[in-house]
């Protein structure tokens, strides 16, 4: 399991990467069903198990209920109607590259995560283009919000900013876009109006709680935002879930003891293996894709 998202009604959606499917979980009963995809890698728009994905990595739910998928190896962003299970292609030509444009004229390179803003804009962590892209879901117009296609590190505006293998993206209620800038070991913030990129927390590889650049991550992978504004990060090779106060930039550890493994329990004693997607339900419950443990974990 890779990407995780929670719908407004509480349903949990999972990008089940090497099953090439999108799964749904009822959080009350734990019942798992397959929403779309048939377990075989490929590319087909269609309904339910007639559709095909290839290593879907990220999933997000829009305010209107539409589910968006970062269909990574197909280099496309797909959309699913949760009522009919109809899968369509929102953007991407299927050929890896870096091009803004409308619908299938746009190009991505291994898009890994998607997020939806309150206004409906779909943001994409375009991993190997080292950029954050934006999609108008009505017109399918793709633009580049920040990053220039070249790996590096630089705060700045729009294409003057640089990322290195961004793997997660999330949007706050005020529209601020947060990015887990994985190989730069930082969490970045983007003003969606100006494209201005700043560093919220992190510096070099390691593990340290602290404020701003005194904090350290080791491959921060995915990022999500709780209803109250707290930012949660799956800190992959620290095997921990970290929390960030967006006002003070203070980083703390929520769960995980830093050792790879599997253990349920209170935060400091819990263990994870190869952390991936993370999402927060309307009631504040956190769901995590614990990839190498082949499980969806819950944190209260």
């Amino acid at each position: 399991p890779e990407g995780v998202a929670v719908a407004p009604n509480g349903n949990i959606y999972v990008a089940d990467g090497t099953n090439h499917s999108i799964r749904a979980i009822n959080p009350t009963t734990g019942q798992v069903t397959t929403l779309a995809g048939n377990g075989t890698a490929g590319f087909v728009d269609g309904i339910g198990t007639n559709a095909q994905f290839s290593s879907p990595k990220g999933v997000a739910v829009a305010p209107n209920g539409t589910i968006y998928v970062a269909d990574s190896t197909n280099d496309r962003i797909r959309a699913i109607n949760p009522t009919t299970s109809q899968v369509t292609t929102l953007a991407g030509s299927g050929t890896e590259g870096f091009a803004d444009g409308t619908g299938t004229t746009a190009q991505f390179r291994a898009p890994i995560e998607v997020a939806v803003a309150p206004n409906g804009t779909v943001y994409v962590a375009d991993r190997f283009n080292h950029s954050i892209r934006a999609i108008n879901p009505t017109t399918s117009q793709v633009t580049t919000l920040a990053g220039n296609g070249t790996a590096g590190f630089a705060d700045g505006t729009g294409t003057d900013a640089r990322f290195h293998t961004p793997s997660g993206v999330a949007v706050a209620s005020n529209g601020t876009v947060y990015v887990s800038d994985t190989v730069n070991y930082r969490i970045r913030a983007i003003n969606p109006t100006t494209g201005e990129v700043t560093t919220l927390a992190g510096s070099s590889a390691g593990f340290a709680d602290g404020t701003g650049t005194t904090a350290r991550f080791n491959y921060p992978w995915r990022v999500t935002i709780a209803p109250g504004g707290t930012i949660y990060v799956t800190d992959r090779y620290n095997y921990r879930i970290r929390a960030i106060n967006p006002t003070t930039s203070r980083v703390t550890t929520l769960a995980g003891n830093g050792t790879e493994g599997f253990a349920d329990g209170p935060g400091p004693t819990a263990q994870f293996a190869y952390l991936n997607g993370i999402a927060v339900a309307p009631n504040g419950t956190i769901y995590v894709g614990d990839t190498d443990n082949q499980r969806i974990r819950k944190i209260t």
Side-chain angles (χ1 to χ4, degrees), residues 229-283:
T230 300
I231 301 163
Y232 293 105
V233 181
T234 52
D235 192 4
R236 173 163 278 189
Y237 293 126
N238 280 322
Y239 308 106
R240 292 173 166 103
I241 307 297
R242 314 289 291 280
I244 309 174
N245 181 317
T247 303
T248 65
S249 300
R250 176 72 182 172
V251 179
T252 56
T253 297
L254 177 68
N257 67 4
T259 301
E260 182 178 9
F262 172 73
D264 286 337
T269 68
Q271 288 183 315
F272 303 92
Y274 209 65
L275 285 160
N276 216 312
I278 185 168
V280 184
N283 67 1

Side-chain angles (χ1 to χ4, degrees), residues 40-69:
T40 301
F43 171 71
V44 178
D45 283 338
I47 296 174
T49 55
N50 291 320
Q52 286 185 315
F53 302 89
S54 186
S55 299
K57 301 287 189 186
V59 62
V61 184
N64 68 1
T66 300
I67 300 161
Y68 293 102
V69 178

Side-chain angles (χ1 to χ4, degrees), residues 117-151:
N119 67 2
T121 299
V122 180
Y123 292 103
V124 180
D126 192 6
R127 191 180 182 201
F128 294 134
N129 278 324
H130 311 288
S131 301
I132 304 302
R133 317 288 290 280
I135 309 175
N136 181 316
T138 304
T139 64
S140 298
Q141 178 68 37
V142 178
T143 55
T144 298
L145 175 65
N148 61 11
T150 302

Side-chain angles (χ1 to χ4, degrees), residues 69-277:
V69 178
D71 191 8
S72 189
T73 307
N74 278 323
D75 298 299
R76 292 174 167 101
I77 305 302
R78 315 285 290 280
I80 308 175
N81 181 315
T83 304
T84 65
S85 298
Q86 176 70 47
V87 179
T88 56
T89 297
L90 176 66
S93 67
T95 301
E96 69 172 31
F98 184 55
D100 288 339
T102 301
T104 56
T105 68
Q107 289 183 316
F108 302 91
R109 184 172 282 116
I112 190 171
E113 182 64 297
V114 284
V116 185
N119 67 2
T121 299
V122 180
Y123 292 103
V124 180
D126 192 6
R127 191 180 182 201
F128 294 134
N129 278 324
H130 311 288
S131 301
I132 304 302
R133 317 288 290 280
I135 309 175
N136 181 316
T138 304
T139 64
S140 298
Q141 178 68 37
V142 178
T143 55
T144 298
L145 175 65
N148 61 11
T150 302
F153 172 72
D155 285 337
T157 301
T159 55
D160 290 331
R162 294 174 72 185
F163 303 88
H164 196 322
T165 321
S167 299
V169 62
V171 188
S173 59
N174 66 0
T176 301
V177 180
Y178 291 99
V179 178
S180 50
D181 190 8
T182 299
V183 185
N184 281 321
Y185 311 104
R186 292 170 168 95
I187 305 301
R188 317 283 291 280
I190 309 175
N191 181 315
T193 303
T194 64
E196 178 70 25
V197 179
T198 55
T199 297
L200 177 67
S203 52
S204 57
F207 172 70
D209 286 337
T211 301
T213 55
T214 67
R216 296 172 73 189
F217 303 89
N218 193 0
Y219 271 66
W221 200 250
R222 301 294 179 91
V223 61
T224 193
I225 301 169
T230 300
I231 301 163
Y232 293 105
V233 181
T234 52
D235 192 4
R236 173 163 278 189
Y237 293 126
N238 280 322
Y239 308 106
R240 292 173 166 103
I241 307 297
R242 314 289 291 280
I244 309 174
N245 181 317
T247 303
T248 65
S249 300
R250 176 72 182 172
V251 179
T252 56
T253 297
L254 177 68
N257 67 4
T259 301
E260 182 178 9
F262 172 73
D264 286 337
T269 68
Q271 288 183 315
F272 303 92
Y274 209 65
L275 285 160
N276 216 312

